[in-house]
Amino acid sequence: MMHMSARCASIMFTIFVNILQIRKIHARNPISHIIMSAIQTNPQSPNNGKKKFDFLDNLRTTYHHQPVFLQAVEEMALAIEPLFHDPANGDFYRKAFLYLTEPERTISFHVPWEDDEGKQHVNRGWRVEFSSALGPYKGGLRFHPTVNDGILKFLGFEQIFKNALTGLPLGGGKGGSDFDPKGKSEAEIRRFCESFMTQLHRYVGVSTDVPAGDIGVGGREIGYMNGQYKLLSNKHGEGILTGKSPLFGGIELRPEATGFGTVYIAQQAIEDKLKRSLEGSRCAVSGSGNVAQYASRMLIDLGAKVVSISDSDGCLVFENGMTNDDWDKFVEAKQVKYARLSTLDAAVSGKYIPGGSPWVLPDLEVDFAFPSATQNEIDKDGASLLMKKGVMGVFEGANLPVTLEGQDVLRANPKVVYVPGKAANAGGVGVSGLEMSQNASRTYWKREKVDIMLKEMMADIYQQMKEGAGEDGTLEQGCNRAGFLKVAHA
């Protein structure tokens, strides 16, 4: 065991050193040449409707009951379509893509737990281990009543390519349960987390599968599960979960990483493509979890005006922009009190709109959109309203927050800078990968160092998108092409 730990530490420390030179590594990568060759030979054909890619027909039939998963597959296929028609390698790319649509392993289990009144309950749990081509499975755990195997397949499929863009040796996976933490006591959540890890612990490991948090799973839940893993395995400090508290092996900046990273890449894209700054811009943010909280924080720090946040019950609108005091109260409500945004109506400068979403409010002026709540929150009508308002950029803090029809609206407006979640929210898993490195090398990195590495990582992902897009492609296409090719050629 001591020998294996030293070997892991050596490998992961090498990864850490290499990430500081990640741009140089990618400069030597032939992937950009592969993309350019395929695009020049087979330009992106217009997205003129449904039922393209007949080689996916069997997949569509088999998983017709998993529409969000199929949506993620179709979106990816559209972006990399020129590769499928490449004269030399098109058949290989089609087969590789089809191969990647099936998880390597799907684990399902029951999760029994007891409420505070002594009543027994049983929820369903899953871990979808999608691809280990680049490294151990890596992806979050989601606790939400909408979770099912189809939702987790969509998230795991997206995770493959997102992780590839980080430059770290990470495979793709996702897991979770249909357990609803809302309204549960601290003790009930702890008992559920312990039961969930009792089922999951035999399938995870530092070189096998390293889960993290997601919707409904934050530092508290990760802490409960980490404690249960130690109890069951008698292994300490292994780093089989990321998103831990820095008090027991977590990395600084991990809670902030996804939101900060989304804003960092948005800043790069806005300055590069639009030749302007975020300062003074009106930015609509949806959601109220970690991504929304820290995207809002960084936007405020950069001088932007955050004009909205939301939860499943409604939306807070800040016509003059969220203040620092507003942000403090918002974070306290969500991280300490676990309260709904409606409780802040009289406490902050914003106005609460019950049942509302930033994407359906006709009078809310917006320059840039940061959908950071959940999948499919912006539909065709929401995207059309954003275009009518003159929105200049959409940056996905959440996974697949725009429906296929909504994406078509964005693609029909090529002047709009659109950065999909695989790139925009990759900072979270990127810093999780750094947490794995930190755990393996038995060291500790200061917040400032992690922030520098996060900025470097997001800058490199943006460069990969530009190279993948070629001369005439979009950042969305470039993102998907670069991620796919890295995995396919592994």
Side-chain angles (χ1 to χ4, degrees), residues 419-446:
V419 179
K422 294 184 194 72
N425 65 46
V429 72
V431 171
S432 279
L434 297 179
E435 183 175 331
M436 293 165 65
S437 301
Q438 180 181 267
N439 291 160
S441 58
R442 298 294 194 268
T443 189
Y444 169 80
W445 298 332
K446 292 183 178 180

Side-chain angles (χ1 to χ4, degrees), residues 26 29-39 76 79-80 82-84 86 89-90 92-94 96-97 100 133-134 160-161 164-165 464 467-469 477-490:
H26 282 286
N29 196 320
I31 284 178
S32 60
H33 301 293
I34 296 170
I35 295 169
M36 286 303 298
S37 176
I39 294 171
M76 188 70 180
I80 65 174
L83 299 175
F84 297 151
D86 181 79
N89 300 302
F92 165 74
Y93 291 135
R94 288 191 295 273
F97 184 77
L100 288 169
L134 296 180
I160 300 170
F161 311 107
L165 290 171
Q464 290 181 68
E467 292 176 2
Q477 293 164 349
C479 162
N480 288 318
R481 292 167 185 169
F484 169 74
L485 282 169
K486 186 163 188 180
V487 181
H489 284 276

Side-chain angles (χ1 to χ4, degrees), residues 408-431:
D408 286 341
V409 172
L410 299 181
R411 294 182 189 118
N413 292 268
K415 291 184 178 180
V416 174
V417 179
Y418 175 37
V419 179
K422 294 184 194 72
N425 65 46
V429 72
V431 171

Side-chain angles (χ1 to χ4, degrees), residues 8-149:
C8 277
S10 175
I11 292 170
M12 296 306 283
F13 184 72
T14 301
I15 293 165
F16 158 61
V17 173
N18 285 345
I19 196 171
L20 295 179
Q21 302 179 17
I22 198 165
R23 290 181 179 175
K24 294 180 182 178
I25 292 172
H26 282 286
R28 299 191 298 268
N29 196 320
I31 284 178
S32 60
H33 301 293
I34 296 170
I35 295 169
M36 286 303 298
S37 176
I39 294 171
Q40 288 166 2
T41 307
N42 305 283
Q44 174 76 37
S45 58
N47 180 17
N48 53 13
K50 314 296 181 183
K51 298 297 289 181
K52 301 182 76 171
F53 316 116
D54 55 6
F55 69 95
L56 295 176
D57 281 349
N58 185 60
L59 188 82
R60 294 179 178 119
T61 301
T62 304
Y63 299 116
H64 64 89
H65 58 293
Q66 297 176 348
V68 183
F69 166 62
L70 292 179
Q71 176 188 339
V73 171
E74 298 277 0
E75 177 204 355
M76 188 70 180
L78 281 170
I80 65 174
E81 181 176 2
L83 299 175
F84 297 151
H85 303 298
D86 181 79
N89 300 302
D91 185 59
F92 165 74
Y93 291 135
R94 288 191 295 273
K95 288 178 180 177
F97 184 77
L98 198 58
Y99 176 85
L100 288 169
T101 61
E102 288 288 350
E104 293 176 3
R105 179 167 58 177
T106 300
I107 302 154
S108 62
F109 45 87
H110 73 174
V111 188
W113 60 282
E114 185 178 275
D115 67 22
D116 290 341
E117 296 178 355
K119 295 180 181 178
Q120 296 294 320
H121 300 267
V122 178
N123 283 90
R124 297 179 295 168
W126 295 269
R127 186 66 180 172
V128 180
E129 297 177 333
F130 232 110
S131 171
S132 58
L134 296 180
Y137 308 108
K138 188 80 187 80
L141 298 170
R142 176 176 293 194
F143 292 169
H144 194 274
T146 61
V147 166
N148 55 47
D149 53 347

Side-chain angles (χ1 to χ4, degrees), residues 47 378-388 402-414 416 418:
N47 180 17
I378 301 180
D379 58 14
K380 179 180 180 180
D381 291 340
S384 298
L385 181 58
L386 290 177
M387 297 304 98
K388 184 179 178 181
V402 184
T403 66
L404 277 175
E405 294 77 13
Q407 291 170 25
D408 286 341
V409 172
L410 299 181
R411 294 182 189 118
N413 292 268
V416 174
Y418 175 37

Side-chain angles (χ1 to χ4, degrees), residues 11 18-19 23 46 57 84 114 127 136 145 154 159 166 188 221 265 269 294 336 347 360 366 371 391 398 408 423 457:
I11 292 170
N18 285 345
I19 196 171
R23 290 181 179 175
D57 281 349
F84 297 151
E114 185 178 275
R127 186 66 180 172
F154 132 63
Q159 198 78 44
T166 67
E188 288 171 334
E221 291 77 17
I265 205 166
Y294 293 110
V336 179
V360 300
V366 180
V391 164
D408 286 341
M457 188 182 298

